Every structure is written in structure tokens, then in C-alpha cells.
Amino acid sequence: MKVSGLTFTELKKWVTAELGMKPYRAQQLFSWIHMRRVISFHQMTDVSLSARNRLDQVAEITSLNTCNTITADDGTVKSSFTLEDDEVIESVLIPDSPRLTACISTQAGCRYGCTFCQTGRGGFRRDLRTDEIVAQLYSLQSMTDDRISNVVFMGMGEPLDNFPALSDALSIISDDRGICIGARKITVSTVGIPEGIGRLAQLDGQYGLAVSLHSGVESTRRKLVPVSKTLPLTELKRDLMDYLSRKGRRITLEYCLIAGINDTIEEADALVKFASDIECKINLLIYNPVEGVPYRSPGIESVNRFMHYLYPRCQAVTLRRSRGSEIAAACGQLGPAARNTSPT
Ligand code: SF4
């Protein structure tokens, strides 16, 4: 049993029903694994030797094998991990004082094939298990003395396409008996999977939702995010409004500016119209070149023109600084072809 992938409720059930142990053992185990982050049952000094031996026989705490770590000049750290089936995934640690953010992967590869994204180019290989998702966070935390304050599910893969593992990971990460990163400090990023947005809205925590919009023009969005052919903007907007009415938490619209594709005033106007009646923040990002992809970063004049069109017309607009682009750790750059230089 991969116990580090069990939520507290699941762990308690397993410890009592399967092992015949007292319920308090679940509290001990959960705290050792997720708060103190030990990787061996024999490090659990307040657990009896016989219980430790039994756990050692039937259970496993997942720790990842780091195959490469690179640090960028801005302090961003990209780590590649080899999984037990030799899949390689990537996670990123982004210092931005006072925040320290972990960007986590949820799949090996991705089935959605966004045309600007390195991960999508390699195709889908498999979903990550909950223990593999959580272990990325703990591996990143072990690399720094500073406490990771925020988690974004923007690494390799579409998080809402792996909902069961994602929801258990969210429960574990935000549990105050463990690493205890508050739900409001955790953001799930999606291309807009309707069923997943609905399921995320039904979870208890106030998790942040970020949507990779990239264009308010249907034809442009279909070019950048091919899955949007079956997910029209009108339906995406309806899903976002439903999420807002359930959670009451502002949504982030992610918009990656690409030269000559979605950085025109017509595109800015379409974005204003899409965002007009949604309580949201628009997060602009400048495209990071990916080898073999025919897109270019926009010039500063084009970025400024786009921003100035949005500013008086939108509730909140930010231009996100690109972090770690020189080590291929920035948005859309994680993935197979980047392995040698070192995972949305
Ligand atoms: S941007 Fe996200 S959903 Fe699109 S291909 Fe990349 S990882 Fe998949």
C-alpha cells in the first residue's frame, strides 16, 4: 500500500480495518509522513517496533528519485524525477518573496496538445498517482530551508483530467495534520474541462481556479488549445459562472501573449468582452519560446499596447514575470524535449 497517497480518512480506515490497529495510529502515521516527512517507518520513534515492522512489510512511503536539478539566475529551481516505471516528470520551485511557490505535475505527458506547450507535444503517457503528486511537493520542500507557501498545479498534464488523484492530493496537502498549505494558497490550472470544474467546485476547500484562456476569439483559441473545439467559449463562461456562484472566489484567466496570434487590439477587445461579467483577474504572460514551435514572444510595445487596452476596461490585470525561462522551467516549457537541459 502506497500510504503516502492516502487522505487522513482513507489512512484511518486502512489502519483500523486492514491492520487491526487503533485509530490513533493513523494520526501518528499521517503526521510522520506529511508533517515531518520521513520516508521510512523506522524513523517513527513513537510507533511501537512491532507496528513499524508490520508497516514495513505491507506499506510504502513514496519518495522520488531526483534525476536532475537546475537553478536559474532568478532562483527558480527545476527538478526532474524518475518514477518507478522510468517516466520522467518535472516540478518547479519559484521563489518570489515573501512567497515560495511549488509548481507540481499531475500527469506524465498530456493528451490535450496545446500548440504552444512542450508537454502537450509529447502526448499522454499516464496519470500520476496521489503519492507521486504529493512526493513532488515534499522533494521540493527538502531542497530549501524556507517553507513552501503556495502550490500551483500548473506543471505537466491537465490536473482536472486526473481528478481523483488531484482531489486526494488537495486534501492531503491542505490537511492541518500534515504540511498544511491552506486551500486558498493552492491553485488548480485547467484548459477548462467542464466536468472537472464542476467537481472542483464541489470540494470543501476554497481552492483557486486558473483557466488557460489565451484568447477570447473562438478561432484563435481553437488554434492554441485544440480541445476547445469541443468546449466553446460560451460553455466555458457558463462553467466559470457556475464555479463562481458556488465558491465565491475570484477566478484567474491566464493569457499567454504570442506575437501576431493573440496580441492584437481585436484580441484584447475579445478578452475584455469575455471577462466583462466574470469576477476575475487577468494574468498576462509573455510566451516563452519552445524549440520546434513556430510561435514568437511579442515585443514590449505590443505587450504595453495590449495591457493599456485592458487596464481601464478590466477589474484586475497583472503581467506575470516569467520565471526560469532560461532553464525551460517557465509556463509551457516543461516536458520531454527539455529533459536534457535539466514539466501545464
Ligand atoms: S498547456 Fe496544459 S493542458 Fe495544454 S498541453 Fe500543456 S499541459 Fe496539457
Side-chain angles (χ1 to χ4, degrees):
M1 173 63 77
K2 312 271 189 192
V3 283
S4 49
L6 299 180
T7 63
F8 182 74
T9 306
E10 291 169 339
L11 183 66
K12 195 166 163 186
K13 192 171 165 198
W14 179 76
V15 159
T16 53
E18 297 290 323
L19 300 185
M21 293 178 178
K22 300 280 189 210
Y24 74 88
R25 286 278 185 228
Q27 171 85 45
Q28 286 179 311
L29 271 174
F30 196 89
S31 161
W32 277 109
I33 296 169
H34 301 290
M35 185 186 283
R36 302 189 218 193
R37 296 184 291 283
V38 301
I39 53 170
S40 161
F41 296 108
H42 291 291
Q43 293 172 277
M44 303 179 178
T45 49
D46 59 356
V47 177
S48 70
L49 184 60
S50 61
R52 279 186 262 159
N53 286 337
R54 175 99 171 94
L55 286 163
D56 209 28
Q57 286 167 355
V58 297
E60 193 183 321
I61 303 169
T62 302
S63 67
L64 299 180
N65 180 20
T66 308
C67 62
N68 204 353
T69 298
I70 305 183
T71 305
D73 291 343
D74 63 9
T76 301
V77 179
K78 180 169 82 168
S79 282
S80 312
F81 303 105
T82 311
L83 307 181
E84 57 203 19
D85 57 359
D86 290 332
E87 286 293 347
V88 175
I89 57 167
E90 295 179 333
S91 320
V92 185
L93 191 59
I94 308 157
D96 191 13
S97 186
R99 291 197 283 189
L100 180 58
T101 302
C103 176
I104 302 295
S105 295
T106 50
Q107 295 178 318
C110 182
R111 72 176 90 247
Y112 290 109
C114 300
T115 54
F116 56 88
C117 174
Q118 186 69 40
T119 304
R121 299 179 75 211
F124 175 77
R125 295 187 300 284
R126 73 169 171 89
D127 286 331
L128 300 187
R129 301 185 311 262
T130 304
D131 56 294
E132 293 169 327
I133 296 172
V134 170
Q136 292 170 63
L137 177 62
Y138 300 168
S139 293
L140 293 177
Q141 183 63 82
S142 71
M143 295 173 190
T144 172
D145 292 333
D146 297 324
R147 186 178 187 276
I148 291 176
S149 59
N150 295 65
V151 175
V152 292
F153 286 92
M154 294 184 184
M156 295 169 69
E158 162 57 57
L160 297 184
D161 191 39
N162 186 11
F163 193 83
L166 171 75
S167 65
D168 283 354
L170 291 172
S171 168
I172 292 170
I173 290 169
S174 58
D175 195 313
D176 57 12
R177 292 160 287 213
I179 195 166
C180 188
I181 295 174
R184 298 190 73 85
K185 306 268 184 186
I186 301 174
T187 299
V188 176
S189 178
T190 178
V191 288
I193 310 299
E195 190 198 346
I197 293 174
R199 292 172 81 182
L200 191 68
Q202 283 166 17
L203 297 181
D204 286 340
Q206 290 286 90
Y207 303 105
L209 176 65
V211 177
S212 296
L213 185 67
H214 307 311
S215 179
V217 176
E218 202 80 76
S219 57
T220 309
R221 188 162 195 261
R222 285 180 182 175
K223 184 172 179 182
L224 297 172
V225 183
V227 69
S228 64
K229 286 182 189 125
T230 57
L231 304 170
L233 284 163
T234 46
E235 287 180 25
L236 175 62
K237 192 163 183 169
R238 187 199 57 209
D239 294 336
L240 299 184
M241 300 295 268
D242 287 349
Y243 186 88
L244 271 169
S245 66
R246 282 190 89 107
K247 305 303 270 187
R249 186 165 174 203
R250 190 167 72 167
I251 288 167
T252 301
L253 299 179
E254 302 278 355
Y255 196 104
C256 182
L257 285 161
I258 303 174
I261 302 289
N262 64 355
D263 63 342
T264 62
I265 291 302
E266 291 74 24
E267 286 280 346
D269 190 58
L271 175 56
V272 167
K273 290 192 171 88
F274 182 85
S276 59
D277 42 6
I278 305 176
E279 195 182 339
C280 65
K281 176 179 86 171
I282 296 170
N283 208 354
L284 298 175
L285 185 73
I286 298 174
Y287 174 70
N288 295 299
V290 171
E291 204 181 319
V293 176
Y295 294 141
R296 290 177 296 111
S297 310
I300 193 67
E301 276 178 17
S302 167
V303 173
N304 284 339
R305 195 176 57 233
F306 198 90
M307 278 200 310
H308 286 133
Y309 190 86
L310 296 189
Y311 272 140
R313 298 173 174 88
C314 297
Q315 305 157 37
V317 182
T318 55
L319 177 65
R320 200 165 85 204
R321 244 180 337 139
S322 179
R323 305 297 305 265
S325 55
E326 85 266 26
I327 57 169
C331 184
Q333 290 187 314
L334 304 182
R339 283 180 194 169
N340 295 337
T341 60
S342 58
T344 150

